[in-house]
Amino acid sequence: MRPGEEVVAVSDGRRSGRPTATVGTPVGHPLLSLALTGMMDAVGAHSGAVYLRLGDEPVLEMAVMAGLPRAFAAPWERVGLSAPIPVAEAVRERRLVWVGGEVAMARRYPRIAVALPYPFALAALPVATVSKVYGAVFVTWPGSHPPELSDRERRELESACARLGVRLERAAAENRAVRAETDPLEAGPLGGVSGTLGTVEAARMVARLPYGLCSLDLRGRVGFANAAVAELLGVPVSGLLGTQLWASVPWLNDPMYEERYRAALLSQDATSFVALRPPSEWLSFRLYPSTTGISVRVSRARAVSEARATGPGKGDAPTQLVSMSQALSLAGALTETVSVQDVVRLVADEIAPAVGSRALALLDARAGRVHVLGHDGYPDPRVVEQFDGMPLSTPTPDAHAVAHGVPAFFDSRQRLEHLYPARRTTRDGFAAWAYLPLIASGRPVGACVLAYAEPRTFSTHERAVLTSMAGLIAQALDRALLYDTKHRLAHGLQAALLPHSLPALPGIEATARYLPATRGMEIGGDFYDLVPSRPLPVAVIGDVQGHNVTAAGLMGQIRTAVRAYTTVGQEPAEVMRSTNRLLIDLGADLFASCLYLRLDPERGRAVMARAGHPPPLLRRADGRVRVLDLAGGPLLGIDGEATYPTTEVDLSPGCVLALYTDGLVESPGVDIEDAITELGRRLAEAGDLPLEDLADGLVGPFAAAEERIDDVALLLLRARGDD
């Protein structure tokens, strides 16, 4: 919207409790319905709707719809002003939005195209005055409408919306509320033969025809049915009248058949399908739509029945592309993908088979080059992988789809190689291809390449469905690329903050393990370190509260501080006090636990200072394990005056010290003391193993777990006594 504009709220007479901006006497005639139907008549549109802004909510709500059942637009009865759909865009940008057909809809508004994958054109316009926006209008035409809106149609629509805006402004000035109105949907009388057909003789004529005939209104209800159709469907005429076919005929209760009715009504094109009446009779349905309803002809499909009786041929292609239920299922599955490889697997396992493709590749572009994110189904993977790193300027369909965002369909090898001669040297064994750009939020994300085993003619409908599915794949891939980037960032940051390797210390053998949490960004505040300081080395382990970048950053600061205080020669208790004061001075509002050990393997001793950290375990050479639950101080970052007493512990040859964070011993429903006891038992049993094997054994159950609610750090120290 333009700066300084006001979006005016209009009252809603259907709901109580909703705030309204206009109260008073309602408008005395169906203002919205008359304006909408007049607009549709002027431009030859067959359906449309008016949206109004209600209350203070940033939403548009449908106030009236004409020409089609409101159920067709059910997902968009209430839409946010920021929603990526035409009426919201028309309000935001104060302009007419034109969508010239199903392919254009699939490219620009994939959410709508998936729900309504039919050939129709649409125009959306704001309803506004110079300074106030009241709502929006959309109107639709059959798919036969020219791909561009004519100047006359544009003028008619813009002037009609301007007049409606003036009327709404006048109603607001006169304190007259504009309410939602009854949809002006054509609905002829139900149940009367002569009332439906005009004359009894006409009804007799229809009754003599050898095939079934019935009439559906715009809501799909049967208004007339002859005896032949009742016999074919196996339902008496009285059971059909006033009902929807898919509701009154059990074996037609499939979303695919209702979808054909929706397709005929929205596109205004005749359509047909075959359906199996159990147990083995196939019937042919032909639908002839108009702006008042649909005439349906039903007959036996003997050729289909005979073909089905012999079973499908080995090379039979699927009879349909993607049904509505499949599309919604695939869209739902795409929302559950997390990583790029999740998207590749889903496209390979569900989407490619649904559209008849035998192989696929997902591509993206970085630094001016094409990169292969994943592929499936190619007999020789090198045919795809050779394009990884190819410049976007390379004259190939892959690079063109990624660089320009324009879909390309090739029904044969000859067609592909004629436009891209370079492909003659990189044959992949397939005979038809769809190159689908992946565009999310108006920007290119990459491309999806679908390859087919046989030459294939891509109909307009199939191109629209594939393009709309590409829009959904693009959104999933966009999220997945962001997730993978964050994942790499998290692991890179964690790796940078933890020691790359442990230094060799005289008289001490050491190893460590770290496992990230599987929730959030998979980055945490657990840390460990081994500092070869003079005169004695130091081991430290700690845990900063939280599993995010803040916790990881603070962990790095604490680890650096401990190293610095150790290097300048502070005693263990003073190192802990200095680190505690630093944490409070940083004002991070996070706490940290820490365990600090000054090692003296020559004397066989270690000095320990503890700040709220789980007690270490000491396994002596004779196999006995002791929990060193000795005196310590509070968590770092709580009390600036806290002190941290130290204790001298045994570190004679053969002893093993196990320092760990709480992720190794805390589990839902398990007492932490029991968990520490169990860890001690396992340490006692396996303590004589090589240190690397011992570490793997202690973290093994956590490493194999699919979900870890906390990160895990383990530092093992064994006194050798041989130096």
Side-chain angles (χ1 to χ4, degrees):
M1 290 180 292
R2 296 172 183 169
E5 279 182 358
E6 177 185 355
V7 178
V8 172
V10 183
S11 69
D12 179 2
R14 294 174 298 167
R15 294 169 173 81
S16 61
R18 174 167 296 175
T20 60
T22 307
V23 295
T25 305
V27 173
H29 59 278
L31 169 63
L32 303 179
S33 300
L34 291 175
L36 177 60
T37 53
M39 195 181 312
M40 292 165 53
D41 289 342
V43 297
H46 77 286
S47 73
V50 177
Y51 285 81
L52 296 176
R53 173 77 182 272
L54 302 176
D56 296 326
E57 299 178 72
V59 298
L60 295 169
E61 181 158 334
M62 187 181 292
V64 65
M65 185 168 184
L68 288 175
R70 187 174 286 236
F72 277 48
W76 308 285
E77 283 219 34
R78 282 173 58 88
V79 299
L81 291 178
S82 60
I85 69 170
V87 288
E89 186 174 319
V91 170
R92 290 196 306 270
E93 301 184 9
R94 282 294 298 269
R95 66 177 180 87
L96 185 151
V97 175
W98 169 249
V99 184
E102 57 183 332
V103 174
M105 183 70 77
R107 291 182 61 191
R108 295 171 56 188
Y109 307 103
R111 297 182 191 177
I112 296 178
V114 167
L116 300 173
Y118 317 123
F120 68 96
L122 177 146
L125 301 90
V127 175
T129 57
V130 175
S131 60
K132 297 180 182 179
V133 178
Y134 291 88
V137 166
F138 79 74
V139 293
T140 69
W141 293 263
S144 57
H145 189 283
E148 298 297 333
L149 193 66
S150 70
D151 291 340
R152 184 193 68 80
E153 290 170 327
R154 180 180 293 270
R155 287 194 303 270
E156 291 282 359
L157 290 172
E158 290 178 341
S159 60
C161 286
R163 289 193 299 271
L164 179 56
V166 170
R167 292 183 184 126
L168 292 174
E169 182 179 54
R170 186 179 303 135
E174 296 173 358
N175 201 29
R176 291 182 296 146
V178 178
R179 304 183 186 279
E181 300 170 3
T182 302
D183 294 344
L185 189 67
E186 289 287 340
L190 301 175
V193 173
S194 63
T196 303
L197 293 179
T199 67
V200 173
E201 183 56 36
R204 290 172 179 168
M205 178 194 72
V206 171
R208 289 191 289 267
L209 294 175
Y211 40 78
L213 288 175
C214 64
S215 175
L216 309 181
D217 67 10
L218 294 179
R219 301 184 190 277
R221 300 174 303 185
V222 178
F224 168 82
N226 67 358
V229 80
E231 179 183 352
L232 288 169
L233 299 179
V235 178
V237 171
S238 60
L240 294 173
L241 294 178
T243 71
Q244 295 173 317
L245 281 180
W246 43 91
S248 55
V249 182
W251 45 272
L252 285 178
N253 188 16
D254 185 303
M256 182 181 71
Y257 303 130
E258 183 180 357
E259 181 188 349
R260 295 303 178 93
Y261 144 77
R262 291 160 58 92
L265 208 54
L266 192 56
S267 68
Q268 292 291 294
D269 287 336
T271 186
S272 61
F273 62 90
V274 293
L276 175 64
R277 176 184 172 180
S280 59
E281 184 176 23
W282 287 87
L283 299 180
S284 172
F285 293 76
R286 183 73 176 172
L287 282 65
Y288 299 91
S290 75
T291 56
T292 59
I294 295 180
S295 297
V296 183
R297 170 179 165 170
V298 184
S299 59
R300 288 183 173 85
R302 292 186 177 87
V304 176
S305 299
E306 293 168 2
R308 296 291 178 177
T310 60
K314 183 176 180 181
D316 284 355
T319 58
Q320 66 182 56
L321 188 61
V322 179
S323 70
M324 176 65 64
S325 56
Q326 281 180 299
L328 295 177
S329 174
L330 295 174
L334 282 168
T335 64
E336 298 175 0
T337 56
V338 176
S339 67
V340 170
Q341 290 309 308
D342 288 342
V343 177
V344 174
R345 282 192 295 270
L346 179 67
V347 175
D349 295 343
E350 297 192 40
I351 294 179
V355 300
S357 170
R358 294 294 183 86
L360 71 100
L362 283 185
L363 316 172
D364 80 336
R366 297 189 302 272
R369 294 182 178 273
V370 174
H371 294 274
V372 179
L373 299 174
H375 57 82
D376 183 79
Y378 288 91
D380 185 358
R382 292 173 296 180
V383 172
V384 183
E385 293 164 358
Q386 67 178 321
F387 295 110
D388 192 55
M390 171 182 64
L392 285 174
S393 57
T394 306
T396 67
D398 317 68
H400 191 269
V402 175
H404 299 284
V406 178
F409 301 89
F410 301 96
D411 54 13
S412 66
R413 176 174 300 282
Q414 292 76 13
R415 177 67 174 166
L416 176 69
E417 293 177 354
H418 174 71
L419 294 177
Y420 296 96
R423 283 301 305 268
R424 293 171 185 163
T425 61
T426 58
R427 297 193 170 187
D428 55 15
F430 293 98
W433 298 263
Y435 291 86
L436 307 171
L438 303 179
I439 300 174
S441 301
R443 57 185 178 79
V445 176
C448 176
V449 182
L450 298 176
Y452 297 82
E454 303 294 335
R456 186 184 191 94
T457 299
F458 295 93
S459 67
T460 301
H461 174 68
E462 185 170 2
R463 294 180 184 215
V465 171
L466 291 175
T467 305
S468 62
M469 291 305 299
L472 295 175
I473 295 170
Q475 295 174 26
L477 183 61
D478 193 31
R479 292 192 305 270
L481 289 169
L482 179 60
Y483 171 84
D484 284 356
T485 299
K486 290 182 177 179
H487 190 74
R488 289 192 298 270
L489 172 64
H491 281 266
L493 178 59
Q494 192 80 56
L497 294 175
L498 292 173
H500 294 159
S501 61
L502 296 177
L505 300 177
I508 295 291
E509 182 184 359
T511 191
R513 297 290 184 272
Y514 175 79
L515 301 174
T518 57
R519 295 182 181 178
M521 286 190 65
E522 300 186 12
I523 186 171
D526 287 17
F527 68 97
Y528 59 85
D529 206 354
L530 201 57
V531 185
S533 60
R534 299 291 182 183
L536 297 175
V538 164
V540 63
I541 192 167
D543 183 2
V544 178
Q545 166 193 15
H547 305 100
N548 49 42
V549 173
T550 302
L554 190 60
M555 173 264 281
Q557 291 175 300
I558 293 176
R559 177 171 168 247
T560 301
V562 169
R563 271 186 166 258
Y565 297 139
T566 298
T567 302
V568 298
Q570 289 188 359
E571 294 296 317
E574 186 59 29
V575 170
M576 298 298 278
R577 285 195 296 270
S578 299
T579 306
N580 178 51
R581 287 193 295 269
L582 172 66
L583 188 55
I584 291 174
D585 291 342
L586 289 174
D589 295 327
L590 293 178
F591 308 135
S593 67
C594 189
L595 181 66
Y596 184 95
L597 284 167
R598 175 170 287 177
L599 309 174
D600 190 352
E602 189 173 325
R603 291 180 53 242
R605 310 298 293 172
V607 176
M608 181 180 78
R610 187 158 68 107
H613 199 81
L617 299 178
L618 173 65
R619 183 187 189 273
R620 294 191 173 91
D622 59 8
R624 290 182 300 166
V625 173
R626 177 189 173 193
V627 179
L628 300 180
D629 196 4
L630 306 175
L635 292 168
L636 303 176
I638 293 179
D639 181 4
E641 303 301 323
T643 59
Y644 298 89
T646 59
T647 305
E648 191 171 88
V649 298
D650 183 25
L651 193 59
S652 56
C655 285
V656 176
L657 271 171
L659 318 181
Y660 55 91
T661 57
D662 56 7
L664 193 63
V665 291
E666 285 188 352
S667 299
V670 178
D671 185 82
I672 189 169
E673 292 186 1
D674 294 340
I676 293 175
T677 299
E678 172 61 19
L679 181 64
R681 184 191 64 77
R682 291 163 52 207
L683 177 62
E685 292 178 353
D688 291 328
L689 292 174
L691 208 59
E692 297 293 334
D693 295 338
L694 176 59
D696 290 338
L698 293 180
V699 302
F702 293 88
E706 292 186 2
E707 183 169 320
R708 289 185 296 273
I709 61 175
D710 198 0
D711 42 348
V712 173
L714 172 70
L715 179 61
L716 294 181
L717 306 171
R718 174 179 281 158
R720 292 198 302 263
D722 54 355
D723 291 300

